[in-house]
Amino acid sequence: MFKIAAYHSPTTLTEAAALLAEEGRTIIAGGTDLLVNPRYMLGVHEVVDSRKLGLNYIAVEAGWIHIGAGATMRTVAQHPQVQALANGILARGAAVCGSPNIRNMATLAGNVASALPSADTPPALLALDAQVVLVGVQGERIVALHHFFVGPAKSVRERELIRELRMPLVGDNGHGGFYKIGRTAEDISMVNAATTLKIQDGRITEARLVLGAVAPIPLRVVKAEEALISQPATEETFQRMAEIVQDEVRPISDQRASAEYRRRMSGVAAVRALRQAAGLAPHGEEWRHA
């Protein structure tokens, strides 16, 4: 066990932000990353519990879906409005994040805050153009998620806590696809992919394609997105995207997979997610077992 000198349980965001402004303190929610990964406890002697801050909510308001930092993976996976968002890509990502016991404790915001390249939900969040709402002693700021990650386990968050994640509800948010490759569905990803497409008269008008576990941060494959525009939503088009994806990824070898395997599987995962988004393959409903 870690040696914790003090435990704080604030009841307001102002109090929590003031506590986090001091050296040697960190926020804790479910603790499923913090308590098992020593890197997050380096130099930390006190923890600030976020559970009494009233952040366990999911709400739709003024064209946005808001997911509070206290919402667990199970809550996210089972929420009807999240399941309806771009064919449920975020709900599906949350539903395969660890075991049922983990999903009952782990939060969506914590999965983002950990900034691990292999995290299950950031690709879907990036494909949905998510934003992070941060709170610190200087007040609140909003950061586009594609600016949030700066390296493995590193982000722009500085002595701040995440208040919520939010995504715009513009039109129908497009058609989505999500695919994860791991030893089991609940294992840490070897590769994962999420995409959103808008299709008109059989041709792609907008595209987002994001992969995880193949670069230092979740990787938005901009070259593939640009190449998809005006193309027919067909298997032939998607197979061409696989080549672009394999050229763009920057995987490493570790105990789960070699870099070469990840490179090849990045193309496979991208194609399978794109097929789902185009209606060429069925969408999963992983949340049924969340």
Side-chain angles (χ1 to χ4, degrees), residues 73 93-103 106 120 180 185-188 290:
M73 288 296 189
V96 296
C97 185
S99 67
N101 287 343
I102 293 294
R103 292 193 293 272
D120 288 309
K180 172 178 175 176
E186 297 175 344
D187 192 20
I188 295 174

Side-chain angles (χ1 to χ4, degrees), residues 24-46:
R25 292 174 179 165
T26 192
I27 195 80
I28 185 170
T32 57
D33 277 330
L34 184 70
L35 297 180
V36 300
N37 195 329
R39 81 170 80 189
Y40 297 118
M41 293 298 293
L42 188 64
V44 172
H45 309 292
E46 302 180 14

Side-chain angles (χ1 to χ4, degrees), residues 33 73 88-99 102-103 106-108 110-112 114-127 145 149 177-195 210-213 218:
D33 277 330
M73 288 296 189
I89 57 174
L90 178 57
R92 294 174 61 195
V96 296
C97 185
S99 67
I102 293 294
R103 292 193 293 272
T107 61
L108 178 66
N111 202 229
V112 171
S114 65
L116 295 174
S118 58
D120 288 309
T121 58
L125 287 164
L126 284 161
L145 189 61
F149 305 107
F178 172 81
Y179 197 83
K180 172 178 175 176
I181 297 174
R183 290 175 293 185
T184 68
E186 297 175 344
D187 192 20
I188 295 174
S189 293
M190 296 178 186
V191 177
N192 57 35
T195 187
V210 188
L211 278 88

Side-chain angles (χ1 to χ4, degrees), residues 8-81:
H8 305 274
S9 185
T11 56
T12 68
L13 287 170
T14 300
E15 184 185 358
L19 285 166
L20 290 171
E22 299 292 331
E23 289 277 357
R25 292 174 179 165
T26 192
I27 195 80
I28 185 170
T32 57
D33 277 330
L34 184 70
L35 297 180
V36 300
N37 195 329
R39 81 170 80 189
Y40 297 118
M41 293 298 293
L42 188 64
V44 172
H45 309 292
E46 302 180 14
V47 294
V48 179
D49 193 334
S50 65
R51 288 178 294 176
K52 294 182 180 179
L53 298 177
L55 300 179
N56 186 7
Y57 61 83
I58 299 177
V60 175
E61 183 180 352
W64 293 80
I65 184 165
H66 304 259
I67 302 179
T72 66
M73 288 296 189
R74 187 171 188 269
T75 298
V76 172
Q78 295 190 338
H79 197 279
Q81 288 168 309

